[in-house]
Amino acid sequence: MQATDIGDPDYFHRVVECQWACPAHTNVPEYIRLIAQGRYSDAYMVNRESNVFPGILGRTCDRPCEPACRRERVDGSPVAICRLKRVASDLRDDITDRLPHAPGVKNGKRVACIGTGPASLVVANDLMPLGYEVTIFEATAEPGGLMRTSIPSFRLPAQVLEEEIGYIVDMGVEVRYSTPVTSLAALGRDGYDAIFIGSGAPKGKDLAVEGRHADPEHVHIGLDWLKSVAFGHIGSIGSRVLVIGVGNTAMDCCRTARRIGGTDVKIMARRPRQFFKASPWELEDAEEEQVEILVNHAPQRFITEEGRLVGVEFDVLEWDENATHSRKVDTVFLPCDDVILAIGQENAFPWIERDLGLDFSQDGLPVVDTVTMQTTLPGVFAGGDAAFGPKNIIWAVAHGHEAAISIDNHCRGIPVDERPVTRMTLTSQKMGLTEWSYHNDYNPSPRQQMAHVDLVKRFSELRLEVELGFSADQTMREVQRCLNCDVQPVFDAPLCIECDACIDICPVACLTIAPDADSEANLRTMLTVAAENLDEALYVSEPLAQTGRIMVKDENLCVHCGLCAERCPTAAWNMEKFDLRLGRAGIGVLL
Amino acid sequence: MPSINKPLIPLAALPTNEIGLTVRDYEGSMSTLCAGCGHDSVTAAIVRTLFELSIPPHKVVKLSGIGCSSKTTAYFDSAAHGFNSAHGRMAPIATGANAANRDVLYIGISGDGDSLSIGAGHMVHAIRRNVHMVYVIENNGVYGLTKGQFSASADIGSAAKHGEANTVAPVDPVMLALSLGASFVARSFSGDKEQLVPILKAAAQHRGLALIDVISPCVQFNNHYGSTKSYRYVREHELREIDPDFISTGHEIVADLPRDGAMMVAMHDGGLVRFRTLPADYDPTDREAAMHYVNRAHARGEIPTGLLFVDESVPDVHELNHTSETPLVELPFDDLCPGSAELEALQQSFV
Ligand SMILES: Cc1cc2nc3c(=O)[nH]c(=O)nc-3n(C[C@H](O)[C@H](O)[C@H](O)COP(=O)(O)OP(=O)(O)OC[C@H]3O[C@@H](n4cnc5c(N)ncnc54)[C@H](O)[C@@H]3O)c2cc1C
Ligand SMILES: Cc1ncc(C[n+]2csc(CCOP(=O)(O)OP(=O)(O)O)c2C)c(N)n1
Ligand code: SF4
Ligand code: SF4
Ligand code: SF4
Ligand SMILES: [Mg+2]
């Protein structure tokens, strides 16, 4: 067998499941340990380096890290990574003097960004410290994009949003509010060295059924309606509300409706529950607020009496197993005062002339390189929802970082596909004979549950944050659930005397000294416990000195407890902290 | 000593044995031996043996003397009974316990110091009596606990950690046992569980004293270049020609019938040991041949391992001494202590 190349930063990165799954590759275990030590500001800064908005994301992130978390494999629930991020944010001290700042002398390059959503903000965050002059054009009167206009303030308080946007804008970004870009060609003529399109997917989808436009005052497009509530233009709704759609937008709509007059709010879904797009926790939160979810209902007709909406007629459907084919089994009429359409978002680029050389694909999206974020028009880049359709904040952040690298390259005459090198360090965590710089014991605590403001109180105040955050006690329990997947058992084959001590002590039987195998598939069957999770690598050593056998570790099972290293008489196993250093705009220059 | 206890992690459901226990149910407390000590591997092999044989944990008695090796008993089967005796006195305690209760599995763990020096006399007599027990010598050629002095099993010429060579002839527990008429004699290596576990299984099913000399390197004081009990030396000189497989009674054995000259030996309670021997004429039931073979291998500087000799027909301690079939704890008080009149009568019978 070929020995594993642990010099490849991807190898150990994959073992840190949460970091690998995070689009911005946040160093989760590091910030969790810092929280455990009460170093909240440091934990905040570790977050900020990757995801830029720890306070915002600690409340709203889509959390792709959590389904990936190793802890889930152990006791069925991942570490509450997102909640802990909020702890770091809530409990930090003033960190303003640790933030990057723009140099007094500019580098003479000007960059225009369109939209103040997370994607553009991250581009500005990365380019301002390098001396770029960044100008952002924003159609609305306030920054933040959908984070401000769509995500309700009872989930994301305005003050949190403002603070973190301020950290970026205060570096001297010029934001032109209420200034929609109406022509890319015209913007191009303004002499910017690069343009970044971060205009999002701002259009809510409409529904073409009979009677849809008979009473426009009482049929709302979810995205626009949320925005109007956010800006204070709408302050009430009828008591009986039907929300059509089951994505995350629908959840925010129904919960908002509950706060401004809706007492009987129903979510109307075409398909069965397991096919919903909303995250499970958003569904739970909506149901906690007494929103009823009706499945297998397809809207057919909006019914008005004397021009006033009185209800909607639905087909009741029966679906096959995979919900691909349906059959109508009944028709029902549901009375209501208002309907909110929350059936999805679309991109719209009426302001981009189609003859500039910026190509669009069939689905109406600009053609954008997934690594460099470059469009087909050199010097014009795109990211976030504008580039690849509606996703989420953390993807927009990841795109922003990559786009900033490309813009920096472009402005310095370096090909955009020349990416800065990803580096890594491995640092021994040994503090004494059997002492480590991390807490290696397994803590059996269950996942901590978030406490919520009581229902009466939350319905009385539209902007009152519902989630209370973890208590000190909950935080201390939750941090100990993290298995420190970044602290890697690293094996030094020539030191091994094949005494079996590590094999005997390993609590999860992930180690084997195996005869050399001709293929990984065979090796997987020869281990102490057969390695059946093919998504997880085997860590394979060079042949051992005494018998020529190989040391094999199944990364699927290891819980990073360090006992192998404690029992190893020759320190052939040692616990070393893996630290990933991702390339960033400007950092490539230093290499 | 590790900084933490070996945690119980519900990662994948552990397999259970016939009595519904997992391998973790046969563990003991955390080892305080040096990291890499061969004795810990022997512990792991015993844990596996007890688990695979589905032995109820409380039906085991662990006995030991003094030494790092003798500490091993603390590290497996915490539900078992145990007796940690004075230096070299494991064998007499085991003999006494045998007399009182024949309904449990006795596992004696000793060292080369404990059994071949201070306790040599006791071991000799336990072998003669064929005490019903598994007798493991964790043999590292030194007194580990007292910082590495040569023990009675150190080979002539084997070097101590600081260089001086041993000049006194060794006691070989295998030859000693064979010459004393032992009924089960094996040698193995802590670094070779694939061999050690089947031997331990056969030993646990043997009627009488099953002596296993396990070369178990002392990583602290006797694992250097020049030592004949280091991991490297044993690996380079091990003659692993007599390989046993233990087939428990409960299992299908038809498919495992002898092939390529292998031979089967039936254990007392029906289990089978299958030998695979490379010298085609090696007969593990022929005591003289075994002695000859071990002697010749030794002269060539080789360390023959495997189950070297077994004879299920030798009467054990119970047969020889007509011990009570019912454990003394289970005898009704009137039978156990028939009263002064009976005693008087007994004494009169000697007059
Ligand atoms: C109801 C709802 C709830 C959501 N909840 C979550 C959540 O909990 N977690 C999560 O991660 N994601 C959530 N999302 C998705 C998330 O908000 C978006 O994916 C993210 O904000 C996209 O960022 P962006 O930078 O690409 O663009 P956006 O945030 O969409 O920002 C685009 C900005 O560009 C401006 N703009 C558009 N066109 C022009 C123009 N021509 N000129 C000038 N300015 C222009 C817009 O006004 C807007 O401010 C939610 C989305 C919705 C609709
Ligand atoms: C009566 C008595 N004499 C001497 C000692 C000192 N002593 C303790 S352990 C030991 C030797 C142990 O050697 P061994 O049995 O080979 O065990 P190891 O530590 O090598 O595993 C000696 C001599 C003692 N404890 N008691
Ligand atoms: S256990 Fe900790 S380090 Fe491992 S994947 Fe989960 S959060 Fe990340
Ligand atoms: S750190 Fe070592 S002992 Fe612990 S689970 Fe991983 S390989 Fe096993
Ligand atoms: S001194 Fe030797 S025998 Fe004793 S625990 Fe250490 S390695 Fe094992
Ligand atoms: Mg010894």
Side-chain angles (χ1 to χ4, degrees):
Chain A
M1 286 288 300
Q2 182 68 37
T4 303
D5 175 16
I6 60 165
D8 174 0
D10 272 2
Y11 182 74
F12 283 136
H13 187 185
R14 291 191 69 138
V15 175
V16 194
E17 315 277 358
C18 49
Q19 192 177 14
W20 180 257
C22 172
H25 304 308
T26 304
N27 189 343
V28 175
E30 179 71 8
Y31 84 68
I32 291 182
R33 279 190 300 271
L34 290 169
I35 293 172
Q37 294 164 26
R39 292 167 60 187
Y40 307 111
S41 299
D42 293 340
Y44 183 87
M45 294 310 290
V46 166
N47 265 291
R48 192 181 188 283
E49 188 183 315
S50 298
N51 59 49
V52 187
F53 305 109
I56 295 171
L57 289 163
R59 292 166 166 84
T60 61
C61 191
D62 248 3
R63 322 170 187 171
C65 53
E66 292 195 12
C69 172
R70 185 174 298 272
R71 180 76 189 206
E72 154 117 54
R73 264 175 259 163
V74 172
D75 67 2
S77 330
V79 174
I81 299 171
C82 187
R83 266 76 219 262
L84 290 173
K85 197 187 306 298
R86 173 172 169 185
V87 169
S89 169
D90 286 357
L91 301 185
R92 73 186 191 272
D93 299 320
D94 182 4
I95 46 89
T96 42
D97 60 348
R98 299 173 67 170
L99 294 168
H101 46 264
V105 181
K106 300 293 174 189
N107 69 1
K109 303 284 183 187
R110 294 166 62 235
V111 176
C113 296
I114 302 162
T116 51
S120 291
L121 288 170
V122 169
V123 170
N125 179 70
D126 286 8
L127 292 181
M128 287 302 290
L130 303 180
Y132 287 87
E133 282 175 71
V134 180
T135 305
I136 312 186
F137 295 87
E138 170 55 52
T140 69
E142 284 181 88
L146 292 184
M147 300 190 296
R148 179 182 299 270
T149 59
S150 283
I151 301 181
S153 45
F154 57 82
R155 283 211 288 129
L156 175 59
Q159 170 252 332
V160 174
L161 191 64
E162 266 147 32
E163 210 167 23
E164 291 188 331
I165 294 176
Y167 290 161
I168 297 167
V169 173
D170 292 351
M171 277 191 274
V173 179
E174 185 194 347
V175 187
R176 299 201 195 149
Y177 293 109
S178 308
T179 313
V181 172
T182 49
S183 159
L184 182 62
L187 187 65
R189 285 192 293 272
D190 285 349
Y192 288 101
D193 296 284
I195 294 175
F196 177 76
I197 302 172
S199 55
K203 209 169 141 239
K205 279 193 190 153
D206 207 337
L207 187 68
V209 299
E210 193 186 327
R212 154 68 182 91
H213 296 288
D215 180 10
E217 212 183 305
H218 294 105
V219 180
H220 318 276
I221 303 253
L223 223 55
D224 301 337
W225 183 77
L226 283 172
K227 188 170 168 181
S228 301
V229 175
F231 286 143
H233 304 321
I234 289 182
S236 68
I237 196 162
S239 63
R240 296 169 306 166
V241 181
L242 297 180
V243 178
I244 297 180
V246 277
N248 293 342
T249 305
M251 299 306 135
D252 284 334
C253 288
C254 66
R255 295 180 68 192
T256 301
R258 284 292 277 128
R259 285 162 173 75
I260 57 171
T263 48
D264 171 8
V265 181
K266 292 188 172 64
I267 296 254
M268 306 304 301
R270 278 175 66 85
R271 311 214 294 164
R273 187 158 180 144
Q274 65 267 39
F275 301 98
F276 288 7
K277 277 201 217 124
S279 331
W281 59 87
E282 295 207 78
L283 284 168
E284 277 167 32
D285 290 345
E287 286 188 312
E288 182 183 324
E289 295 185 357
Q290 297 153 348
V291 170
E292 195 183 347
I293 300 178
L294 294 182
V295 296
N296 305 341
H297 281 67
Q300 288 310 312
R301 245 163 18 107
F302 286 65
I303 296 168
T304 43
E305 276 171 17
E306 294 164 16
R308 175 65 171 93
L309 178 77
V310 292
V312 181
E313 193 180 284
F314 292 88
D315 281 355
V316 182
L317 307 177
E318 201 175 76
W319 291 89
D320 62 359
E321 207 180 322
N322 302 318
T324 40
H325 297 287
S326 65
R327 190 169 70 86
K328 177 176 153 185
V329 291
D330 200 2
T331 306
V332 293
F333 170 77
L334 291 176
C336 68
D337 303 313
D338 285 85
V339 168
I340 302 175
L341 299 175
I343 51 177
Q345 268 168 278
E346 279 173 330
N347 290 77
F349 299 96
W351 50 275
I352 300 182
E353 295 81 354
R354 301 297 140 126
D355 58 358
L356 299 177
L358 196 157
D359 295 344
F360 281 80
S361 65
Q362 303 236 306
D363 52 10
L365 289 169
V367 174
V368 180
D369 185 283
T370 52
V371 175
T372 64
M373 303 293 135
Q374 179 159 273
T375 64
T376 54
L377 191 58
V380 179
F381 303 85
D385 290 357
F388 306 108
K391 277 196 172 160
N392 55 34
I393 301 170
I394 192 65
W395 270 112
V397 169
H399 296 157
H401 285 311
E402 293 306 320
I405 291 169
S406 299
I407 292 170
D408 185 41
N409 279 8
H410 174 78
C411 291
R412 295 190 302 120
I414 300 168
V416 291
D417 55 7
E418 231 170 73
R419 312 306 289 175
V421 188
T422 299
R423 295 167 295 159
M424 64 168 216
T425 55
L426 283 174
T427 316
S428 173
Q429 300 300 290
K430 216 174 181 57
M431 303 284 282
L433 216 48
T434 56
E435 246 181 294
W436 306 105
S437 68
Y438 74 112
H439 191 81
N440 59 327
D441 205 356
Y442 174 76
N443 189 313
S445 288
R447 183 180 163 112
Q448 302 299 300
Q449 298 303 315
M450 175 60 72
H452 290 171
V453 172
D454 74 63
L455 287 182
V456 178
K457 206 162 156 205
R458 69 175 96 153
F459 292 152
S460 66
E461 211 181 315
L462 174 63
R463 294 176 201 283
L464 183 67
E465 187 169 18
V466 170
E467 295 186 345
L468 291 169
F470 275 170
S471 67
D473 186 53
Q474 284 181 304
T475 302
M476 282 310 130
R477 281 173 207 276
E478 194 61 36
V479 289
Q480 294 306 339
R481 296 184 70 240
C482 174
L483 299 167
N484 301 287
C485 302
D486 61 332
V487 182
Q488 311 286 350
V490 174
F491 189 69
D492 191 357
L495 293 179
C496 179
I497 57 169
E498 303 174 54
C499 70
D500 272 2
C502 54
I503 317 275
D504 294 337
I505 198 74
C506 179
V508 291
C510 70
L511 298 176
T512 311
I513 299 181
D516 204 350
D518 48 10
S519 72
E520 190 188 294
N522 279 344
L523 187 56
R524 282 179 177 272
T525 64
M526 288 156 51
L527 306 182
T528 315
V529 175
E532 280 159 1
N533 184 349
L534 301 182
D535 293 338
E536 299 284 330
L538 296 184
Y539 179 3
V540 176
S541 78
E542 302 283 349
L544 302 178
Q546 295 189 11
T547 62
R549 295 178 297 170
I550 48 177
M551 178 70 79
V552 188
K553 177 159 91 74
D554 181 1
E555 297 290 8
N556 182 41
L557 300 178
C558 178
V559 292
H560 302 256
C561 66
L563 280 173
C564 48
E566 292 191 19
R567 291 314 277 168
C568 182
T570 64
W573 281 114
N574 187 30
M575 301 308 287
E576 301 185 12
K577 185 165 82 178
F578 164 76
D579 195 9
L580 184 72
R581 301 271 103 200
L582 284 172
R584 283 278 187 270
I587 290 184
V589 199
L590 302 174
L591 280 174
Chain B
M1 170 91 187
S3 64
I4 56 172
N5 282 331
K6 183 170 173 172
L8 200 55
I9 294 173
L11 189 57
L14 290 170
T16 51
N17 62 13
E18 282 157 26
I19 54 171
L21 301 179
T22 74
V23 72
R24 301 294 307 263
D25 294 317
Y26 291 91
E27 289 176 354
S29 53
M30 283 299 276
S31 170
T32 56
L33 300 180
C34 302
C37 177
H39 303 350
D40 279 335
S41 290
V42 180
T43 302
I46 292 172
V47 167
R48 222 167 93 187
T49 300
L50 295 176
F51 165 72
E52 288 177 11
L53 289 179
S54 296
I55 293 174
H58 65 286
K59 290 289 219 178
V60 174
V61 178
K62 318 179 283 188
L63 305 134
S64 64
I66 299 291
C68 298
S69 37
S70 292
K71 289 172 69 178
T72 300
T73 45
Y75 311 137
F76 64 85
D77 196 355
S78 23
H81 306 271
F83 198 106
N84 191 212
S85 79
H87 201 15
R89 269 56 171 189
M90 183 270 280
I93 301 291
T95 311
N98 254 252
N101 188 343
R102 55 156 89 181
D103 202 21
V104 285
L105 172 64
Y106 292 96
I107 302 179
I109 311 271
S110 181
D112 42 327
D114 198 58
S115 275
L116 304 181
S117 291
I118 193 167
H122 292 302
M123 182 182 86
V124 162
H125 294 286
I127 293 173
R128 283 182 58 239
R129 292 196 169 97
N130 207 14
V131 174
H132 195 141
M133 68 183 298
V134 178
Y135 194 124
V136 176
I137 301 177
E138 295 177 348
N139 187 348
N140 55 16
V142 286
Y143 297 166
L145 192 70
T146 55
K147 305 280 171 280
Q149 301 84 350
F150 285 126
S151 77
S153 74
D155 292 309
I156 291 182
S158 184
K161 196 169 182 177
H162 295 294
E164 72 277 30
N166 175 44
T167 52
V168 186
V171 177
D172 178 348
V174 165
M175 290 303 291
L176 181 62
L178 285 171
S179 70
L180 290 166
S183 53
F184 182 117
V185 184
R187 178 180 280 135
S188 192
F189 172 42
S190 66
D192 186 358
K193 286 196 202 66
E194 295 322 304
Q195 185 197 57
L196 179 54
V197 171
I199 289 179
L200 280 164
K201 285 182 177 173
Q205 310 274 75
H206 172 64
R207 183 181 71 142
L209 189 143
L211 183 101
I212 312 172
D213 177 33
V214 187
I215 313 290
S216 173
C218 170
V219 77
Q220 190 64 261
F221 298 113
N222 207 12
N223 193 40
H224 43 269
Y225 184 76
S227 156
T228 60
K229 296 262 188 312
S230 68
Y231 282 106
R232 179 179 286 280
Y233 187 91
V234 178
R235 288 213 163 89
E236 284 170 355
H237 296 80
E238 184 186 7
L239 195 61
R240 195 179 189 273
E241 289 187 329
I242 312 131
D243 260 4
D245 283 340
F246 179 74
I247 303 152
S248 193
T249 9
H251 296 112
E252 178 67 60
I253 54 169
V254 185
D256 280 307
L257 278 175
R259 37 150 219 242
D260 54 35
M263 82 180 268
M264 309 288 277
V265 176
M267 303 305 289
H268 183 68
D269 67 352
L272 292 168
V273 179
R274 184 182 65 201
F275 289 87
R276 235 174 310 112
T277 59
L278 281 186
D281 53 350
Y282 188 85
D283 179 358
T285 60
D286 180 340
R287 184 182 304 273
E288 250 176 66
M291 292 178 80
H292 185 64
Y293 179 74
V294 173
N295 254 339
R296 294 280 297 275
H298 199 250
R300 292 195 301 269
E302 292 165 344
I303 308 168
T305 63
L307 180 39
L308 300 164
F309 175 76
V310 62
D311 181 355
E312 287 295 284
S313 68
V314 181
D316 75 345
V317 70
H318 302 299
E319 201 177 325
L320 292 170
N321 294 288
H322 312 290
T323 59
S324 166
E325 269 179 42
T326 312
L328 299 192
V329 284
E330 287 167 25
L331 280 183
F333 183 76
D334 289 344
D335 290 353
L336 196 60
C337 185
S340 320
E342 285 286 333
L343 180 61
E344 183 62 32
L346 181 69
Q347 282 170 338
Q348 285 304 319
S349 73
F350 298 135
V351 179

